[in-house]
Amino acid sequence: MSALVTLAAAGPSPLWYATRAGGTVALVLLTATVALGIAVGGRYEPRRLARFEVSALHRNLSVLTLVFLALHIVTALLDTFVHLGWLATVVPFVSSYRPLWVGLGTVAFDLLLAIALTSAVRLRLGQRRWKAVHWLAYGAWPVAVFHAAGTGTDTRLAQQLALYAGCLALVVGALWWRLYHAGPGRVAARLWAGVTAAAVPVVLAAFMNSGPLQPGWAHRAGGTAPVATVGGRPAPTPADDGEAPHD
């Protein structure tokens, strides 16, 4: 009976589920925000929606992304299974738990925070400077995807892999849509965007096959958290390879 109680206590806490849910929803919302910004930007004019409606939807998606990202960060900090520390939320690569992959999440957060802060002073900053900072959102997306894949202990699940594939397909599809409607001119920029759209899926697939989908990833990722024991043996968790049930 005591072993069963210990085993139950060793399972993931509600904070773990909240962290995973917050991070997953934030990634989906960020994907939708980036895809929408790519698809309707430039010269393309949507036929059934006014430009201000698209802008309002884009802005609301951005705000929701930050809300769920905040939930993801706060619950991760409150969950004591892995001690991240507040410094790791703003300074990349200082976490003792999977420093590279947690650090990528910090980089994505810092980029999105810069966009939010500059948007608040957009009129004073000027359109050109604000737009330059706004482009950081496009860089934050792939960084966030690699953070999720490298840090998430449920990356091997079929549902999670399908979600990553869906996010990737949406952004790449939006980029090809943008290129299709771009019109003549700016050949170098269009060529660079096309190469990027083709390369990102290949790089991500190669990383997944050689990293998170292979046995021993918890050890190679670095900073594996301590595993609870039952009767002197490791207690099973939702993760493989003795990984901590944490993102």
Side-chain angles (χ1 to χ4, degrees):
M1 181 66 180
S2 60
L4 292 177
V5 172
T6 306
L7 177 60
S13 69
L15 287 172
W16 178 83
Y17 288 110
T19 300
R20 291 303 300 144
T24 300
V25 174
L27 178 61
V28 171
L29 290 171
L30 178 60
T31 299
T33 303
V34 170
L36 181 63
I38 293 174
V40 301
R43 303 173 184 176
Y44 177 71
E45 291 285 345
R47 297 179 180 179
R48 298 185 179 181
L49 293 174
R51 176 66 70 175
F52 78 89
E53 292 177 309
V54 175
S55 299
L57 176 60
H58 187 267
R59 182 170 56 253
N60 291 337
L61 285 173
S62 302
V63 173
L64 282 175
T65 300
L66 291 175
V67 169
F68 280 94
L69 184 57
L71 173 66
H72 175 64
I73 293 172
V74 171
T75 52
L77 291 172
L78 293 178
D79 191 352
T80 57
F81 198 90
V82 175
H83 299 279
L84 296 179
W86 285 100
L87 186 63
T89 65
V90 291
V91 180
F93 315 118
V94 298
S95 171
S96 59
Y97 175 71
R98 300 194 179 185
L100 174 59
W101 309 108
V102 172
L104 290 180
T106 304
V107 170
F109 172 67
D110 289 344
L111 293 175
L112 294 176
L113 186 61
I115 296 168
L117 294 176
T118 53
S119 295
V121 292
R122 178 177 178 179
L123 296 179
R124 295 184 179 181
L125 190 62
Q127 181 72 10
R128 179 176 297 181
R129 292 179 181 177
W130 174 82
K131 206 165 187 179
V133 177
H134 196 72
W135 276 90
L136 293 174
Y138 299 114
W141 179 80
V143 173
V145 171
F146 277 93
H147 159 72
T151 311
T153 52
D154 51 5
T155 296
R156 292 186 181 185
L157 297 179
Q159 299 91 329
Q160 201 70 13
L161 291 174
L163 185 142
Y164 294 151
C167 290
L168 187 64
L170 184 61
V171 171
V172 172
L175 187 53
W176 283 116
W177 172 267
R178 175 72 174 270
L179 291 174
Y180 177 75
H181 290 87
R186 306 188 68 180
V187 177
R190 296 172 64 184
L191 179 61
W192 179 86
V195 171
T196 301
V200 169
V202 175
V203 173
L204 182 60
F207 163 69
M208 295 288 287
N209 288 327
S210 63
L213 298 184
Q214 295 298 321
W217 173 247
H219 176 71
R220 287 185 289 130
T224 305
V227 179
T229 59
V230 176
R233 296 182 178 182
T237 70
D240 294 323
D241 307 333
E243 295 186 24
H246 199 284
D247 185 311

